[in-house]
């Protein structure tokens, strides 16, 4: 697809501040799991090259990365809970900064979206012992999700501490901050969702109770590394990973409480026109970042309109960034785009990863 060049005063090309992040443009790279870390979750030189190639993004949000061994859901996703992993992230931070970019690490604890064989025989943990329908890719191929065990109330501070430790490691590695993944059916989303969270303690039941664990994590991580380095991603009512949510008022309760923390940004995954976007935007006092969802691949002209209309301050782009390391330049100039190759999305080597060509 070739389109016209963006005008220099396009809202997508204007700088935006998000806490401690000073982004030179509003075209940010969405988090993208690519399953190319070393087998022990250590980020490697190939990943550093991949992220370095994409330094032109306003901000890069990394692939979801587990804050603990039990928080891993898929083979070869990176971790951020060992010294070796922290060193691997340092290489990535250096590569992005060398290219003039900014990068935050997405903290993704998958909760029940896992299988015992992926996590060394451990049982996945979740707000409630409710197995997700469907299958997950494991080292031995696709298998049914394992039944998780319910986290006891007195275990929750330990899980919060894992997030804190991982966030501190991310910052110590030189990354510019973290994004808490509270979307797409993973652990934090499982707490929010009334169809999955069946708890009877103060972390289940009412919308305020279901929001409590996410608020606990955001509060503790903010205290540890500074709220201006902490963003959060949510996907209200997104059914991915067998989530069912009837009472989405939890997102208003959550956003109202998070607003007091002064986080760097709120990142919402929702289809344009979903009334929840305007509702949350009205509550959120800070930088509001939108991703238009999986249904249709992000479209430059639609994103430009959304920012022009004030629906969002910045947007994140997944598949077009995956296939175009120099996406910001291509969108600015209106030049031809590389097409993403789905076969190499979730595994493999340099093919379909670092070999998408940049413009000369
Ligand atoms: C290969 C792939 C991996 C993804 N991995 C993540 C992830 O790790 N964390 C996350 O929050 N979203 C993840 N997503 C969702 C994207 O961030 C984004 O919301 C989605 O691709 C829709 O945006 P797009 O139309 O610009 O691609 C992934 C999507 C794709 C295609």
């Amino acid at each position: 697809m070739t389109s016209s060049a963006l005008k220099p005063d396009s809202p997508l090309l204007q700088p935006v501040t998000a806490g401690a992040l000073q982004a030179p443009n509003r075209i940010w790279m969405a988090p993208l799991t690519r399953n190319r870390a070393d087998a022990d979750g250590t980020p490697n030189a190939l990943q550093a090259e991949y992220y370095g190639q994409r330094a032109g993004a306003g901000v890069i949000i990394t692939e979801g990365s587990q804050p603990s061994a039990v928080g891993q859901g898929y083979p070869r996703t990176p971790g951020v809970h060992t010294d070796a992993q922290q060193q691997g992230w340092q290489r990535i931070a250096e590569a992005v900064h060398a290219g003039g970019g900014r990068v935050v690490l997405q903290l993704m604890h998958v909760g029940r979206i896992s299988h015992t064989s992926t996590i060394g025989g451990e049982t996945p943990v979740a707000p409630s012992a409710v197995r997700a329908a469907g299958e997950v890719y494991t080292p031995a191929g696709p298998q049914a999700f394992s039944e998780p065990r319910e986290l006891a109330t007195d275990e929750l501070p330990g899980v919060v501490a894992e997030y804190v430790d991982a966030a501190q490691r991310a910052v110590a590695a030189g990354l510019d901050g973290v994004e808490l993944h509270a979307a797409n059916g993973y652990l934090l989303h499982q707490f929010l969702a009334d169809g999955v969270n069946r708890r009877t303690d103060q972390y289940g039941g009412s919308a305020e109770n279901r929001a409590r664990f996410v608020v606990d994590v955001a509060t503790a991580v903010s205290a540890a590394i500074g709220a201006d380095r902490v963003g959060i991603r949510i996907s209200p009512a997104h059914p991915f990973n067998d989530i069912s949510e009837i009472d989405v008022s939890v997102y208003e309760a959550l956003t109202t409480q998070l607003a007091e923390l002064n986080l760097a940004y709120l990142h919402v995954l929702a289809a344009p026109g979903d009334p929840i976007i305007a509702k949350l935007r009205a509550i959120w006092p800070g930088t509001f970042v939108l991703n238009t969802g999986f249904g249709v691949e992000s479209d430059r002209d639609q994103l430009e309109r959304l920012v022009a209309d004030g629906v969002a301050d910045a947007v994140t782009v997944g598949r077009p960034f995956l296939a175009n390391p120099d996406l910001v330049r291509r969108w600015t100039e209106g030049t031809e785009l590389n097409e993403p190759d789905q076969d190499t999305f979730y595994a493999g080597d340099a093919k379909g990863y670092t070999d998408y060509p940049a413009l000369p």
Side-chain angles (χ1 to χ4, degrees):
M1 176 199 71
T2 308
S3 47
S4 56
L6 288 176
K7 297 206 170 69
D9 66 352
S10 164
L12 289 179
L13 300 180
Q14 306 313 307
V16 63
T17 300
L21 300 163
Q22 308 274 350
N25 65 63
R26 294 165 188 240
I27 306 167
W28 296 12
M29 181 171 160
L32 295 167
T33 290
R34 305 302 310 277
N35 310 84
R36 280 158 170 93
D38 291 350
D40 66 354
T42 302
N44 52 41
L46 186 67
Q47 288 172 280
E49 182 186 353
Y50 164 81
Y51 283 113
Q53 289 171 339
R54 287 160 178 76
V59 173
I60 293 173
I61 303 164
T62 72
E63 64 208 278
S65 308
Q66 56 271 9
S68 59
V70 77
Q72 180 172 4
Y74 311 98
R76 296 186 62 188
T77 55
V80 59
H81 54 90
T82 71
D83 291 347
Q85 291 165 357
Q86 185 177 322
Q87 280 161 20
W89 283 112
Q90 191 171 330
R91 254 196 307 220
I92 290 174
E94 285 165 4
V96 174
H97 292 157
R102 293 134 302 277
V103 51
V104 304
L105 177 142
Q106 190 186 53
L107 284 174
M108 172 169 105
H109 188 312
V110 300
R112 68 179 187 150
I113 299 302
S114 191
H115 189 270
T116 53
S117 68
T118 302
I119 50 177
E122 296 281 310
T123 301
V125 296
S128 304
V130 182
R131 182 203 288 257
E135 293 191 327
V136 61
Y137 198 81
T138 75
Q143 299 193 58
F145 288 109
S146 295
E147 177 159 325
R149 68 175 184 83
E150 176 173 324
L151 283 161
T153 310
D154 65 6
E155 283 182 285
L156 296 179
V159 182
V160 172
E162 291 171 355
Y163 276 94
V164 167
D165 177 65
Q168 286 173 323
R169 286 182 179 277
V171 170
L175 298 163
D176 298 300
V178 299
E179 174 176 287
L180 303 175
H181 193 353
N184 298 355
Y186 298 109
L187 181 70
L188 298 181
H189 195 181
Q190 291 158 30
F191 271 89
L192 297 172
D194 51 359
V196 180
N197 179 344
R198 316 252 172 101
R199 300 179 72 91
T200 54
D201 63 3
Q202 68 270 36
Y203 291 92
S206 68
E208 196 166 48
N209 279 0
R210 281 180 281 125
R212 190 181 309 278
F213 185 62
V214 182
V215 174
D216 283 1
V217 171
T219 304
V221 170
S222 295
I225 67 166
D228 60 350
R229 295 189 180 279
V230 182
I232 185 165
R233 187 178 221 205
I234 56 175
S235 58
H238 184 33
F240 191 65
N241 280 326
D242 195 31
I243 281 290
S244 69
E245 272 180 314
I246 293 168
D247 175 21
V248 291
S249 73
V250 70
Y251 290 98
E252 289 163 65
L254 177 69
T255 304
T256 302
Q257 290 188 68
L258 292 179
E260 290 172 23
L261 295 179
N262 232 345
L263 301 181
Y265 64 86
L266 176 68
H267 184 184
V268 178
L269 185 157
D274 184 333
I276 194 84
I277 298 174
K279 238 180 223 174
L280 299 182
R281 174 84 158 139
I283 297 170
W284 188 248
T287 304
F288 191 92
V289 184
L290 185 68
N291 179 269
T292 53
F294 284 92
V296 183
E297 195 173 296
S298 289
D299 171 74
R300 186 198 75 173
D301 295 341
Q302 180 183 43
L303 298 181
E304 187 182 40
R305 277 195 302 276
L306 289 166
V307 177
D309 293 347
V311 174
D313 298 308
V315 291
T316 63
V317 183
R319 289 160 288 189
F321 243 124
L322 184 156
N324 296 276
D326 50 356
L327 181 72
V328 173
R329 178 174 164 206
R330 287 180 192 242
W331 272 6
T332 302
E333 297 177 359
T335 40
E336 200 80 25
L337 298 177
N338 304 319
E339 285 301 316
D341 166 29
Q342 290 207 34
D343 293 345
T344 49
F345 272 10
Y346 294 110
D349 47 23
K351 185 171 174 306
Y353 191 54
T354 51
D355 66 350
Y356 285 108
L359 294 173

